[in-house]
Amino acid sequence: MRGILSIQSHVTYGHAGNSSAVFPMQRMGFEVWPIHTVQFSNHTQYKQGWTGRAFSASDIDELVQGLDNIGALTRCGAILTGYQGSAEQCEAVVRTVEKVKDQNPSSLYICDPVMGAPDKGCIVAPGITEHLVNDLMPIADVIVPNQFELSQFAQMEINTLSDAVTACNIALAKGPKVVLVKHLYCISDDKFSMMLATQDGCFLAQRPQLPFEQQPVGVGDLISAVFTAGLLKGDSPMDAFQHCHDACYGVLKQTHQQNEWELQTVLAQNELVEPSETFAVEMIDAQLMTA
């Protein structure tokens, strides 16, 4: 059985980072080996605050070396990275990707480039954005940015669908083979939009925007995880995108129905394998591809 090495944050309570990503990938049939970049009591948007700490880059190196010692890296089918707690951790991720691909050249590296969003309570340490843009995203097979993170990588503003297509094409030219924009928020207020870009074209999926009083945290981590598991199952990027879009909506709908803030991933776990609703994925007009 191929495993997934997941290097990102962890919360003891709720679902963010590895706490949002590990179970969905397990539910979809994979062994998951989590390495935590930080461990907090809860996510950082609670007004009461949080407790916990970041780990050192050497902690990542030591754990990866331990996995290498027992031969696990040869069975690593994918490395998934999310929130990094320091610039040094980003450097450890680069070393990890190199080590895993040396042991298993067919392994995938999926980079969810979590950057600072102070308005959402997400703060990243100095140097992280630069490392993501210059070091991690270019070596990834797949990147899963939101609109802002894509704009930083493509070095352009994104205000329209045409802009998003152009930015995705720039991103593909920098190394990744697949770009999944986990939230494209410039084109609709009443629909949640996601975009997939490959050499075959750009595709758009939209679903209803559920009216949460407080937007759940960890949705991007869930999207990255479900898409990763889909690819590792052997699905095409298009099929993995379709499944990911529908499955994540199912989890969010269950969360909304329960009037909860924390994702109800366990309660909605069947949505991860058999989504109850499906939404059309449409190819974006070819004229926009060259806009």
Side-chain angles (χ1 to χ4, degrees):
M1 169 64 73
R2 290 177 297 169
I4 299 171
L5 180 60
S6 183
I7 307 175
Q8 48 188 314
S9 61
H10 172 78
V11 293
T12 301
Y13 178 87
H15 297 278
N18 270 332
S19 303
S20 181
V22 171
F23 175 71
M25 293 187 289
Q26 291 173 328
R27 186 65 178 82
M28 290 178 69
F30 292 96
E31 293 290 340
V32 184
W33 311 324
I35 293 179
H36 306 325
T37 55
V38 303
Q39 180 160 300
F40 293 159
S41 55
N42 48 273
H43 68 66
T44 58
Q45 292 190 41
Y46 279 87
K47 62 182 180 180
Q48 301 94 329
W50 69 94
T51 60
R53 67 181 180 89
F55 296 105
S56 70
S58 63
D59 290 323
I60 297 175
D61 289 326
E62 289 174 8
L63 291 170
V64 172
Q65 185 58 55
L67 293 173
D68 193 17
N69 292 344
I70 61 173
L73 298 187
T74 62
R75 301 191 300 277
C76 181
I79 311 110
L80 170 63
T81 63
Y83 180 89
Q84 302 300 307
S86 68
E88 292 76 17
Q89 286 183 343
C90 294
E91 295 169 358
V93 167
V94 172
R95 292 191 292 272
T96 298
V97 172
E98 291 172 348
K99 187 182 287 285
V100 170
K101 285 184 173 283
D102 182 60
Q103 296 287 334
N104 182 10
S106 66
S107 62
L108 298 175
Y109 172 36
I110 297 91
C111 176
D112 183 347
V114 180
M115 298 179 189
D119 59 318
K120 295 185 178 181
C122 179
I123 307 297
V124 298
I128 287 179
T129 296
E130 292 78 7
H131 273 290
L132 289 169
V133 168
N134 297 323
D135 302 324
L136 271 65
M137 297 173 79
I139 66 170
D141 299 289
V142 179
I143 58 172
V144 192
N146 60 25
Q147 179 177 311
F148 170 73
E149 292 155 355
L150 176 61
S151 73
Q152 296 302 294
F153 189 47
Q155 297 185 317
M156 62 171 287
E157 290 189 6
I158 300 174
N159 298 306
T160 65
L161 182 59
S162 179
D163 289 342
V165 171
T166 299
C168 283
N169 286 331
I170 291 172
L172 290 171
K174 290 188 173 188
K177 303 175 183 67
V178 176
V179 178
L180 192 169
V181 186
K182 60 193 173 190
H183 188 193
L184 181 63
Y185 43 80
C186 67
I187 62 173
S188 177
D189 291 329
D190 61 343
K191 293 181 180 179
F192 189 97
S193 304
M194 293 169 54
M195 179 184 288
L196 176 73
T198 70
Q199 296 300 329
D200 294 328
C202 290
F203 305 86
L204 183 68
Q206 294 182 300
R207 58 169 177 74
Q209 183 77 274
L210 297 169
F212 288 97
E213 289 187 14
Q214 293 176 296
Q215 285 296 319
V217 173
V219 179
D221 308 316
L222 176 65
I223 290 169
S224 299
V226 175
F227 189 64
T228 296
L231 292 176
L232 210 56
K233 282 175 57 182
D235 291 346
S236 68
M238 171 66 80
D239 289 342
F241 178 58
Q242 176 79 70
H243 178 86
C244 170
H245 180 264
D246 298 340
C248 292
Y249 176 72
V251 173
L252 281 163
K253 186 175 182 180
Q254 185 73 260
T255 302
H256 183 259
Q257 290 172 344
Q258 296 296 315
N259 195 30
E260 290 284 352
W261 183 19
E262 294 285 2
L263 289 171
Q264 298 298 292
T265 312
V266 177
L267 182 64
Q269 62 181 277
N270 289 340
E271 296 285 344
L272 300 170
V273 291
E274 294 184 6
S276 57
E277 296 184 61
T278 189
F279 300 88
V281 173
E282 299 178 350
M283 189 169 187
I284 299 170
D285 190 284
Q287 292 182 349
L288 286 176
M289 297 292 292
T290 57

